[in-house]
Amino acid sequence: MDKLQEYGRMLRTGDWVKFYPVFPLAGAFLAAGLSSGLVVVFALFFCVTAYGFVINNLYDAEIDKRHAGKAKQGKNPFADGLISKGEVLGMCVALAGIPLLASLALSGTGFVFVLLCLIALTLYSAPPIRFKDRFAADIICHGVMFGGLPFLAGYILAGGAVPEFLSFPVASALVCSLLCCEALMVHEILDYHDDLGTTSTTVVGIGLKNGVFLLGATAVLSVAAFAPISWWFVIDVAATAVIVTFLIGYPVYSCRTLLVPAAGRGYRTLMNNRILRTRRSL
């Protein structure tokens, strides 16, 4: 039973199950609406996403031993010596093999996209490429491997044809990629102090303030990218409003623990300056 619990912790489902499955499911919904394909796509990408987190734990073991936050939360049982490398590799084989075999039975093209997702997840964590440690490449790879590629894979696995380059599915995949770029920036911003001296991320490289600015600029870019998509493909006004609200609200809500205190300090500074000016005028 203890081993099963450690295997479950390696999957780290609490870190992603409420967010990352949205993208392949959105692609499947675009292709087939409410159908049994949604269940299939969710099951496949549960395995694919879990694979990404398990292989990340495998190659981040030494880093996680020095990472105060992760060590305290016990997010990497392999780093803690609770499961062996062979067991972790077995998990990776199972989590990659199940969706590959299932997708091959459904669609040859779907199999290719699932394979591309798995390759991207591997290159993100595994040396010598390890995009995770490369400036800006970490953000771009994260956006593609969790956003754009899963969206297109879900679309095709649910019965959609391979989309043309200038098409609504491809445009949607772009917006999904931008949103998942934001997701990594949020993670790097919140983990900034723990990451200093333990790992190399884009936000560590440019500093916390610049990281927050980059997140804001990416949020604005995602809205700017969605605006012509909404106009060109005649998306309903209500749906457009909901999507734009989410594109802006997600990074703000995710960084609320930093933004709320900063806003409070800014407000107090503004009021103090106004009081000081008033006293001087008197």
Side-chain angles (χ1 to χ4, degrees):
M1 183 61 70
D2 290 342
K3 279 288 185 179
L4 290 177
Q5 290 177 343
E6 301 308 331
Y7 295 156
R9 287 170 56 206
M10 279 292 288
L11 301 179
R12 291 169 53 188
T13 52
D15 290 347
W16 54 266
V17 75
K18 296 179 180 179
F19 186 67
Y20 292 129
V22 168
F23 303 103
L25 287 175
F29 180 78
L30 180 62
L34 291 174
S35 66
S36 59
L38 292 175
V39 178
V40 174
V41 168
F42 176 81
L44 266 61
F45 271 87
F46 183 94
C47 293
V48 170
T49 310
Y51 167 84
F53 279 81
V54 171
I55 198 168
N56 182 72
N57 274 358
L58 173 64
Y59 288 107
D60 276 10
E62 293 302 318
I63 293 172
D64 289 347
K65 289 177 183 178
R66 304 190 304 271
H67 194 287
K70 291 181 179 178
K72 183 178 180 180
Q73 297 174 38
K75 287 192 173 184
N76 192 341
F78 174 58
D80 296 336
L82 299 174
I83 58 177
S84 68
K85 184 175 182 179
E87 290 172 306
V88 178
L89 290 174
M91 292 180 69
C92 289
V93 170
L95 290 169
I98 291 171
L100 282 174
L101 292 174
S103 61
L104 184 60
L106 292 172
S107 162
T109 308
F111 167 82
V112 171
F113 274 88
V114 170
L115 179 60
L116 289 173
C117 290
L118 293 168
I119 290 173
L121 289 164
T122 304
L123 295 180
Y124 178 77
S125 296
I129 295 177
R130 193 169 162 82
F131 286 124
K132 186 175 183 177
D133 288 342
R134 297 179 184 273
F135 184 79
D138 57 345
I139 294 172
I140 296 171
C141 183
H142 193 275
V144 172
M145 73 187 189
F146 281 129
L149 280 177
F151 179 90
L152 292 174
Y155 179 80
I156 292 170
L157 288 169
V162 178
E164 297 180 359
F165 182 72
L166 296 176
S167 64
F168 183 62
V170 171
S172 300
L174 172 62
V175 175
C176 291
S177 295
L178 288 171
L179 192 54
C180 287
C181 286
E182 293 178 18
L184 182 64
M185 281 183 271
V186 167
H187 176 72
E188 291 183 358
I189 288 168
L190 296 179
D191 279 4
Y192 175 77
H193 295 291
D194 286 335
D195 286 343
L196 276 175
T198 61
T199 186
S200 175
T201 69
T202 295
V203 173
V204 166
I206 64 178
L208 185 58
K209 289 184 178 180
N210 288 332
V212 173
F213 175 80
L214 180 61
L215 175 62
T218 306
V220 172
L221 179 60
S222 66
V223 174
F226 180 71
I229 293 171
S230 175
W231 174 79
W232 183 262
F233 295 104
V234 196
I235 300 177
D236 180 78
V237 174
T240 297
V242 170
I243 294 171
V244 170
T245 300
F246 184 77
L247 291 173
I248 297 173
Y250 167 72
V252 173
Y253 178 78
S254 299
C255 290
R256 64 193 181 281
T257 55
L258 291 177
L259 296 177
V260 171
R265 290 193 298 270
Y267 175 76
R268 288 192 296 271
T269 300
L270 176 62
M271 293 303 296
N272 290 336
N273 289 339
R274 289 184 63 182
I275 292 170
L276 182 60
R277 286 196 299 269
T278 301
R279 289 175 177 174
R280 286 175 176 174
S281 65
L282 295 175

